[in-house]
Amino acid sequence: MNAPTLHFYDLHPPLADIKEEVLKGLSCQPKAIPPKFFYDEYGSQLFDQITELPEYYPTRAEIGIIKEDGEEMVSLLGNECLLVELGSGSSQKIRLLLDALQPAAYMPIDISKEHLLKSAQVLATDYPDLEIHATCADYSEHFHLPYSPDDKPKAAFFPGSSIGNFDPPQAQALLQRVAEFLGQDSTLLIGVDIKKEPQRLNAAYNDAAGVTAAFNLNLLTRINRELEADFDLSRFEHNAFYNEPQGRVEMHLVSNTPHEVQVGGQTFEFAEGESIHTENSYKYTVTQFQNLANKAGFQPEQVWMDSADLFSVHCLRVR
Ligand SMILES: C[S@@+](CC[C@H](N)C(=O)[O-])C[C@H]1O[C@@H](n2cnc3c(N)ncnc32)[C@H](O)[C@@H]1O
């Protein structure tokens, strides 16, 4: 009989930390809440719906690249490694690599606890020989891998252009931490969205079916539930646009009326038109991203793109 193959580590940030971060963000001018808080269980389900939308090209483009060039990716990652995935979501993309790759173990890391657990259980059923170390943690904070055998090389997979949620200095600091836990000569495979014409970017974050708007507004539902808040969702509107000078798509929740909101015992005033900045999604040229990776301690090894140059997957090696 095989040993149990699914292990679960709960390093989810405590509610007090989430409260502190949300209150701090709402006290800033302009108001801002980090996008990691989108991902409660329903937020993760909404994100999965976003990936299916006709306007949302990044998921299809990245999957197409991995299908086309996966063999070369697998050879660069190498077998028998501990394969760490940052922001694993539904663990769909990793399947494209797992069919050819035999890692010693797979460690999906995600902040969305219930969704991570369910996805890891489905993966364990579909890949019964795969040792899985599912880890619920916030990778934007310093944390140690809860499972890190000395005798296994490490590799990492960071798809979905989630690195774009960080401004370039924060992205560099996060990549530096990834390089540290991976160790010298290890490989990182990372998906990065490419700079392109604003029309396509604006459409991708303003879908006709309104799923991205629901995803954005769900942040307020979550805060109401978890932090004793009284946001009235009908007083906020989804707003997303490409900020070309900054090279990023911005998402906001804009108040359509002057009003007050209670959150965790504090009162916050909103003017008409005032926004909560909920997400940045930075876009990069290949060279811009390679320069960033270089500064974080990685040697760019290879880059693959789709035929329309919408998306890039980089292979980086820790120097
Ligand atoms: C844009 S989705 C990408 C999901 C999947 N990797 C894909 O490519 O389709 C971002 C994922 O990262 C997770 N996530 C976001 N911020 C995180 C953080 N700070 N720490 C851990 N996971 C995070 C979310 O829960 C979500 O599953």
Side-chain angles (χ1 to χ4, degrees), residues 36 39 47 85 87-89 93 110-112 137-140 159-160 162:
K36 62 187 175 186
Y39 298 96
F47 181 75
E85 180 172 356
S88 49
K93 291 173 185 163
D110 205 287
I111 199 166
S112 187
D138 177 356
Y139 59 59
S140 65
S162 296

Side-chain angles (χ1 to χ4, degrees), residues 122-189:
V122 175
L123 197 73
T125 307
D126 294 346
Y127 293 82
D129 295 330
L130 181 66
E131 186 179 313
I132 302 174
H133 294 266
T135 303
C136 181
D138 177 356
Y139 59 59
S140 65
E141 299 289 331
H142 287 270
F143 77 100
H144 294 288
L145 298 186
Y147 171 76
S148 180
D150 288 338
D151 59 338
K152 305 258 187 313
K154 296 188 189 76
F157 182 45
F158 194 4
S161 203
S162 296
I163 192 68
N165 292 152
F166 298 89
D167 66 29
Q170 289 173 335
Q172 185 185 325
L174 172 55
L175 290 178
Q176 266 160 348
R177 290 203 299 280
V178 173
E180 271 161 37
F181 78 61
L182 284 177
Q184 209 180 355
D185 283 334
S186 298
T187 305
L188 167 64
L189 201 60

Side-chain angles (χ1 to χ4, degrees), residues 44-316:
S44 292
Q45 288 167 9
L46 286 171
F47 181 75
D48 281 352
Q49 289 178 32
I50 289 174
T51 65
E52 307 276 331
L53 294 167
E55 298 93 336
Y56 195 76
Y57 64 85
T59 305
R60 271 184 305 281
E62 190 175 29
I63 287 176
I65 298 167
I66 299 173
K67 282 188 174 160
E68 181 76 21
D69 299 300
E71 227 170 89
E72 196 184 349
M73 293 173 188
V74 164
S75 72
L76 287 162
L77 286 170
N79 282 325
E80 291 308 317
C81 58
L82 170 65
L83 180 59
V84 178
E85 180 172 356
L86 295 138
S88 49
S90 292
S91 278
Q92 286 301 325
K93 291 173 185 163
I94 198 70
R95 288 165 183 259
L96 303 171
L97 298 172
L98 283 178
D99 292 333
L101 186 70
Q102 273 98 44
Y106 167 59
M107 179 180 281
I109 300 178
D110 205 287
I111 199 166
S112 187
K113 192 177 350 184
E114 294 80 11
H115 194 73
L116 167 68
L117 192 51
K118 279 187 194 154
S119 305
Q121 282 163 342
V122 175
L123 197 73
T125 307
D126 294 346
Y127 293 82
D129 295 330
L130 181 66
E131 186 179 313
I132 302 174
H133 294 266
T135 303
C136 181
D138 177 356
Y139 59 59
S140 65
E141 299 289 331
H142 287 270
F143 77 100
H144 294 288
L145 298 186
Y147 171 76
S148 180
D150 288 338
D151 59 338
K152 305 258 187 313
K154 296 188 189 76
F157 182 45
F158 194 4
S161 203
S162 296
I163 192 68
N165 292 152
F166 298 89
D167 66 29
Q170 289 173 335
Q172 185 185 325
L174 172 55
L175 290 178
Q176 266 160 348
R177 290 203 299 280
V178 173
E180 271 161 37
F181 78 61
L182 284 177
Q184 209 180 355
D185 283 334
S186 298
T187 305
L188 167 64
L189 201 60
I190 181 166
V192 184
D193 200 6
I194 292 284
K195 281 198 165 128
K196 57 183 64 66
E197 71 282 3
Q199 291 87 327
R200 194 190 282 268
L201 290 166
N202 287 329
Y205 293 81
N206 289 288
D207 60 284
V211 185
T212 312
F215 173 73
N216 198 5
L217 282 159
N218 178 57
L219 177 65
L220 303 184
T221 308
R222 178 189 187 178
I223 293 174
N224 280 349
R225 186 182 64 243
E226 296 187 18
L227 301 182
E228 292 163 37
D230 65 355
F231 280 105
D232 175 350
L233 272 62
S234 70
R235 294 180 171 206
F236 287 90
E237 273 153 37
H238 166 75
N239 184 27
F241 56 90
Y242 185 49
N243 179 337
E244 201 159 2
Q246 296 284 347
R248 67 189 190 204
V249 171
E250 296 185 13
M251 288 217 310
H252 295 259
L253 288 165
V254 182
S255 167
N256 55 25
T257 172
H259 70 293
E260 282 183 356
V261 179
Q262 308 292 321
V263 185
Q266 291 190 28
T267 304
F268 295 93
E269 292 195 357
F270 284 86
E272 183 177 344
E274 187 176 356
S275 89
I276 309 174
H277 189 166
T278 52
E279 185 178 86
N280 284 323
S281 184
Y282 281 84
K283 312 299 171 188
Y284 290 91
T285 65
V286 166
T287 310
Q288 278 175 335
F289 190 74
Q290 286 180 333
N291 288 341
L292 181 83
N294 227 317
K295 284 193 256 167
F298 285 94
Q299 177 64 40
E301 289 261 306
Q302 180 60 286
V303 60
W304 304 270
M305 293 176 77
D306 57 296
S307 55
D309 288 350
L310 295 178
F311 201 88
S312 60
V313 178
H314 293 250
C315 177
L316 309 171

